[in-house]
Amino acid sequence: MSPHSPSLRSRSSVALALTLTLGFGPGCAEEEEPSGALGDACDPGPDACGDGLSCEPLSSGEGHVCAGSVELRGQVIDALDQSAIEGARVLALDETGSPVSDVALSDADGRYSLPISVPRDPDGNPATAVTFTLSASAADYQLYPSGLQPAFPVSTADITSVEDDPEVEGDENLSAIENASTTIGLLPLEGGGGFTITGRVATEADEVGGTLVVADGGAGSYTIADRSGAFTLFNVASGANTIRGYRGGLQVLPEMLEVSADVDGVVLGLADGGLSAVSGSVNIVNAAGGSETSVVLIPSALFDEVFEFGPVPFGLRAPEPGVAANISSSWTIPAVPEGTYKVIASLENDDLVRDPDTSIAGTEILEIEVVAGEDIEIQDSFKVTEALAVISPGADGPEEVSGTPVFEFADDSSEDRYEVIVHDALGNEVWRDDQVPGVNGNGTVTVDYGGPALEPGMFYRFQATSWKDGNPEATALSRTEDLRGVFIYVE
């Protein structure tokens, strides 16, 4: 758009009279306000800033400024054979799990360019480095991230100018982030996928982006709605499906569908009120003083019985999203929408685990039914204990492993033996040894992998549990954490 529109000059006496009545003197022109220049204050809107600029929030939280656009650029590939994936949908999330973009589609080469909103200083420059993660989905592939596959962090500290990029036509205000973390490897689903459902969460609410949208027929397909509330569900099973939305503070009305082909234009409406509070307590035992944890709600339709976790909807966590784990006794998750949930304590990496001794109260995986407007107080306290520390691989995040893996973890001083299990990212048990001898006088335990050949590009997790043999039953003492011990096998 040109910075100035044509002037509105009167050429007749009627027009002149109207001009005078409206308060414009002869020869004066009414002009549209020019679009904002770099560093100008702005109000968000389609024409708030000039070409190549976007209206971005100030890091202070007080207003917006015209600034150069920033894109995340990368490629979506098959994690196993490295081939490009066309038509994948890529979304950026902030540190709380809330979307900061709409969706970008990958092209025939798997390439994508995703504009993102970045907090700025008063001059329009990116403020203190911010970390994002990416979410991606495609037909016949597992959602990224999910299961054992985490999303790698992308930092605005890595922003570079693309002024010299011949494909950008010299836009001096455009910057991009492209590195190993913006390459997304999707894991293929066993047996392929299903149908595709597109739609949106009703937009009359201020915050609908980040809603976890679920088709709960079959094994359950899910995705995350973008900043505008739009969503695409891939790999939906045929037959009866109920499309549900989960987000703290929103009561999303379900939509029942009979799926026999792709479905477009589904609208999930919102109900007024009807939210509930879920509360309870944790009991942290046999752990270092000052240990703190978190509690989350996971829709039962998406709970993985093998890994004992699943995706957590935005807002259904104590403490609230973006706050470090700080629960040591009582907890409350407010504004919970109706639905059936698994309640899980200590899912995140906090050096603690849910006590694996199922013979005592407070260690079972609890399922609750939240009815609209009815608060729930869980009576049994969740028992949480110190975890067996993972040494390698995967102490702090997925590691590449080649050859024969060697698993190392901290010794539990009171054990008789250990059990070590390896699963792949699709939940298949690959190998198990439940008779690993206890050690005496060593700080760590090492176990050589003894299973079948591992698949290059696949994610795996080893999990170790310490056991005390007894009469008549053995007792599980502790184990490694759910999200540690993850590795990627490479040739």
Side-chain angles (χ1 to χ4, degrees):
M1 185 181 78
S2 171
H4 298 274
S5 63
S7 60
L8 303 177
R9 297 182 181 275
S10 61
R11 294 186 178 275
S12 68
S13 58
V14 175
L16 177 59
L18 178 60
T19 301
L20 293 172
T21 302
L22 294 175
F24 300 109
C28 294
E30 179 185 5
E31 297 182 345
E32 291 183 7
E33 290 293 327
S35 297
L38 185 67
D40 286 350
C42 60
D43 293 320
D47 299 318
C49 300
D51 290 345
L53 301 177
S54 56
C55 188
E56 297 292 341
L58 288 166
S59 59
S60 64
E62 299 178 357
H64 293 72
V65 64
C66 289
S69 300
V70 175
E71 294 179 351
L72 297 180
R73 295 180 171 186
Q75 186 181 28
V76 184
I77 60 174
D78 186 301
L80 303 186
D81 66 16
Q82 307 298 298
S83 60
I85 299 175
E86 182 179 6
R89 300 174 65 85
V90 183
L91 174 69
L93 309 173
D94 66 16
E95 291 176 299
T96 72
S98 181
V100 292
S101 73
D102 294 325
V103 165
L105 294 178
S106 61
D107 63 18
D109 296 320
R111 300 284 307 172
Y112 68 89
S113 296
L114 180 65
I116 59 171
S117 179
V118 178
R120 308 302 177 110
D121 66 19
D123 295 324
N125 300 311
T128 304
V130 177
T131 300
F132 300 103
T133 56
L134 293 170
S135 175
S137 58
D140 302 328
Y141 286 88
Q142 185 172 286
L143 187 75
Y144 171 96
S146 63
L148 301 180
Q149 189 178 22
F152 296 100
V154 180
S155 174
T156 57
D158 297 325
I159 289 177
T160 58
S161 173
V162 296
E163 183 177 359
D164 298 327
D165 188 334
E167 297 182 1
V168 183
E169 299 180 355
D171 188 342
E172 61 182 12
N173 294 316
L174 179 62
S175 300
I177 304 172
E178 182 169 6
N179 52 35
S181 294
T182 62
T183 297
I184 301 171
L186 300 185
L187 290 167
L189 292 170
E190 292 181 331
F195 298 108
T196 300
I197 297 175
T198 62
R200 67 173 52 252
V201 182
T203 56
E204 52 264 34
D206 292 334
E207 296 290 343
V208 295
T211 299
L212 185 72
V213 181
V214 180
D216 64 7
S221 171
Y222 69 99
T223 192
I224 297 173
D226 70 13
R227 185 167 49 182
S228 70
F231 65 85
T232 296
L233 284 162
F234 291 109
N235 312 311
V236 178
S238 62
N241 279 269
T242 301
I243 313 302
R244 303 182 187 275
Y246 298 91
R247 191 187 195 280
L250 291 184
Q251 191 71 267
V252 180
L253 297 173
E255 182 77 14
M256 268 91 48
L257 298 176
E258 188 69 30
V259 178
S260 58
D262 293 345
V263 180
D264 295 326
V266 173
V267 177
L268 299 180
L270 302 176
D272 293 331
L275 300 168
S276 306
V278 177
S279 60
S281 63
V282 297
N283 180 18
I284 300 176
V285 298
N286 298 325
S291 294
E292 295 175 315
T293 190
S294 58
V295 179
V296 298
L297 302 182
I298 299 171
S300 294
L302 300 179
F303 186 76
D304 190 309
E305 300 289 348
V306 173
F307 297 130
E308 297 185 349
F309 60 73
V312 179
F314 180 86
L316 301 191
R317 174 184 183 265
E320 65 184 21
V323 177
N326 63 10
I327 304 299
S328 58
S329 55
S330 61
W331 56 270
T332 297
I333 301 176
V336 178
E338 64 180 352
T340 305
Y341 301 93
K342 301 288 188 181
V343 188
I344 303 294
S346 193
L347 172 61
E348 299 161 10
N349 289 337
D350 52 17
D351 300 323
L352 301 168
V353 290
R354 179 174 55 85
D355 195 318
D357 182 0
T358 57
S359 67
I360 58 177
T363 61
E364 70 279 4
I365 295 174
L366 185 64
E367 183 174 88
I368 60 172
E369 182 74 27
V370 176
V371 177
E374 296 183 11
D375 295 343
I376 294 178
E377 184 174 357
I378 298 171
Q379 298 303 312
D380 286 341
S381 179
F382 292 113
K383 288 196 169 52
V384 175
T385 191
E386 185 174 11
L388 298 178
V390 171
I391 309 301
S392 71
D396 297 310
E399 292 183 30
E400 291 187 350
V401 171
S402 59
T404 301
V406 177
F407 309 125
E408 185 176 7
F409 51 91
D411 177 35
D412 187 336
S413 59
S414 57
E415 90 294 345
D416 289 321
R417 61 181 171 87
Y418 294 96
E419 177 183 60
V420 176
I421 305 175
V422 175
H423 286 97
D424 68 18
L426 302 178
N428 301 309
E429 182 178 312
V430 178
W431 178 71
R432 174 193 297 255
D433 185 350
D434 61 4
Q435 297 298 322
V436 175
V439 300
N440 203 359
N442 294 332
T444 64
V445 183
T446 58
V447 180
D448 293 338
Y449 173 70
L454 299 176
E455 185 174 9
M458 177 59 75
F459 281 73
Y460 296 89
R461 183 194 69 181
F462 87 88
Q463 188 170 60
T465 303
S466 58
W467 288 85
K468 185 73 173 177
D469 290 328
N471 189 7
E473 293 182 351
T475 301
L477 302 176
S478 186
R479 67 181 185 184
T480 53
E481 292 182 81
D482 296 302
L483 303 180
R484 299 192 198 269
V486 177
F487 60 97
I488 313 160
Y489 191 73
V490 297
E491 290 183 308

